[in-house]
Amino acid sequence: MNAQRRKEIEAVLSELADLRSRVETLHGEEQDAFDSMPEGLQASERGQVSEAAASALDEALSAFDDIESSLNEARA
């Protein structure tokens, strides 16, 4: 890989880190919202939607790990 493409991957990794941070914030906020709900509300449809959203955001964070790993492998 040439230096220009390596530099571009580094730029993408930097942007990815920013996006990951934003998703981490959203995940934390959604998880906190769910955890703050009374147990009865957690079991309701609203609670289930909130829990599913937190779970989906957690999966997105795992995907960031996979992407970062692949990009680091590509630039090696």
Side-chain angles (χ1 to χ4, degrees), residues 3-4 6-9 11-12 14 17 22 24-25 31 33 35 40 48 51 61-62 64-66 70-71 76:
Q4 178 60 34
R6 217 176 254 113
K7 185 177 179 179
E8 185 64 24
I9 287 176
V12 170
S14 178
R22 292 170 62 189
E24 284 174 339
T25 298
Q31 189 64 54
D35 292 342
Q48 291 173 357
E51 185 176 33
L61 291 170
S62 292
F64 277 107
D65 291 338
D66 293 341
S70 295
L71 289 170

Side-chain angles (χ1 to χ4, degrees), residues 34-48 51:
F34 176 77
D35 292 342
S36 296
M37 290 179 184
E39 193 173 307
L41 191 54
Q42 285 180 346
S44 72
E45 182 178 346
R46 180 176 172 201
Q48 291 173 357
E51 185 176 33

